[in-house]
Amino acid sequence: MNILDQIFEGGIVGCGGAGFPTHVKLNTQVEYFIVNAAECEPLLRTDRYTMKHRAHDIIDAVEAIGDQLMARKKVIALKGHYHDEIACLEAAISAKNSDVELFFLENFYPAGDEQIMVYEVTGRVIPPAGIPSAVNAVVSNVGTVAAIYDAMHGIPLTQKIITVTGEVNVPTIVSAPVGTPIQEVIDQGDPIPRRYTVILGGPLMGRRVGMDDISKEYVTKTSSGVIVLDEDSHLSGRRNTSIETMLRMAKSACIQCTFCTELCTRHMLGHPLMPHKIMRKLAYNSDVESILEDNDVKQALICSECGVCEEYACPMGLQPRRINKMLKTVYGQMKIRYQREERDEWVANEAREGRKVPSKRIAARMGVDQFYDYVINDCVEVEPREVCISTRMHIGAPAKPVVSVGDMVRKGTLIAAVGRDQMGANIHASIDGTVTYVDDSRIVIERN
Ligand code: SF4
Ligand code: SF4
């Protein structure tokens, strides 16, 4: 079986993002294979834990993936201050006499953004709304690379490494089967507040979930972090602002200082996104529909939703990112896609180097810097009594269940499948047990 078949069989999807099926992404040839090991968001430690504990596996997998891609350069990009992780990777590279290179990034946010990482490593700007292959590169998260190593050895993706941090007594790494109730993951950290909110993912791009909704959340193939925050904290309150209030604030309080554009991470790459202009057009027009045809407003489609504009740049506490997100939803409903101006080459803004936002500074602005320097080395295993596994953990078609209620399954048994030619990913049982519920969207397994 070749490596793409092994990856397909193992149900591997991008662990650092939206769950793009990896066998599709790697079915190409490029000059650069870049491993994203920058742990983009402050507070998370998942990638660092993986690098420290699986350096040899990672180097083996990078070699194999590089061969598949016929890549001339295989680069692991990580932050220069990850001293322990660098030592582990360098030891593995040396032991294997490998030509995998390490690239050291400064500690800025969002260093792990795919487009920014490609620019840092190659000096090439991916065109707006483009993908890395446009500049002869493919990027995979280091967690995905570790999962590919497992798939190369017949082990499907069923277990996740997750950082639990924030207002907890025990910041920790949790190893949990896919489908584990998020509450059981949170409990490993021992939350301090009586009422709390969690951010699933990192503090900037993660999804806020209120305490009353946590019971509906389960570990997925893309889970990477859970941040516990007091229900009354600045960050959880800010994420709670309604769209109507946010729009009203945008209309009345934007002072057109342009800071959101000057620090916009896409604008700094030379892309034509200028959030202050979108805010201005909103202020001068009574309804959103009336500005949708405007070319400046359409640039919202290339917003990465990194959050620098609203969490760091804006002195008025406005939320250009949320406005862009709302506009993207409206454009999506109208089936309007981004039309790129054609150019031979895109060039980053000259001011970019001086406008990188230090990770700790943005964490401080968000009121989470007290968790920034946590040392998290220990890993606890969670063994849930029951798992609820979604069939939609990836981009593309949902996987179709291939088990029925009453079936006995072992960890690694295929429980939902997609066709080899389909955009999608197979799904496997994450514990030994009995299937107790099946529908198109989820499969529940109770531990024997
Ligand atoms: S979230 Fe803000 S800073 Fe980030 S790309 Fe979008 S507009 Fe630019
Ligand atoms: S930074 Fe804030 S106040 Fe300044 S232009 Fe942007 S949205 Fe308006």
Side-chain angles (χ1 to χ4, degrees), residues 264-266 273 275 303-309 321 324:
C264 170
T265 56
R266 284 287 180 270
L273 170 60
C303 169
S304 67
E305 300 175 28
C306 69
V308 165
C309 50
R321 170 196 29 197
N324 288 347

Side-chain angles (χ1 to χ4, degrees), residues 19 44 54-55 85 101 198 213 246 269-270 352 354 356 395 401:
L44 301 189
R54 300 197 60 186
E85 295 76 9
E101 297 170 35
V198 295
D213 293 321
M246 188 183 70
L269 276 180
R352 181 177 175 272
K356 288 178 179 169
I395 286 177

Side-chain angles (χ1 to χ4, degrees), residues 314-328:
C314 183
M316 304 304 289
L318 304 180
Q319 298 181 294
R321 170 196 29 197
R322 281 189 73 196
I323 304 260
N324 288 347
K325 195 172 173 183
M326 181 265 300
L327 287 166
K328 282 161 83 172

Side-chain angles (χ1 to χ4, degrees), residues 64-104:
I65 299 162
D67 288 348
Q68 154 60 31
L69 295 168
M70 298 183 78
R72 199 168 55 76
K73 292 270 212 180
K74 292 163 279 188
V75 182
I76 301 177
L78 72 172
K79 305 245 175 93
H81 71 280
Y82 289 178
H83 301 298
D84 293 349
E85 295 76 9
I86 290 169
C88 293
L89 290 169
E90 283 181 340
I93 289 169
S94 159
K96 293 169 187 296
N97 200 17
S98 165
D99 62 351
V100 173
E101 297 170 35
L102 301 185
F103 183 94
F104 304 130

Side-chain angles (χ1 to χ4, degrees), residues 57 74 188 224 233 267 307 311 328 351 387 420:
D57 298 352
K74 292 163 279 188
Q188 305 308 312
S224 60
S233 70
H267 188 70
E311 302 293 356
K328 282 161 83 172
V387 291
R420 181 65 176 86

Side-chain angles (χ1 to χ4, degrees), residues 114-136 265-272 340 343-349 352:
E114 192 169 79
Q115 301 218 3
I116 287 168
M117 177 162 283
V118 168
Y119 177 70
E120 290 280 333
V121 174
T122 69
R124 301 170 190 168
V125 175
I126 300 171
I131 57 174
S133 60
V135 294
N136 226 344
T265 56
R266 284 287 180 270
H267 188 70
M268 286 299 106
L269 276 180
H271 292 185
R340 180 167 60 226
R343 289 192 199 170
D344 291 341
E345 193 186 12
W346 291 80
V347 180
N349 191 303
R352 181 177 175 272

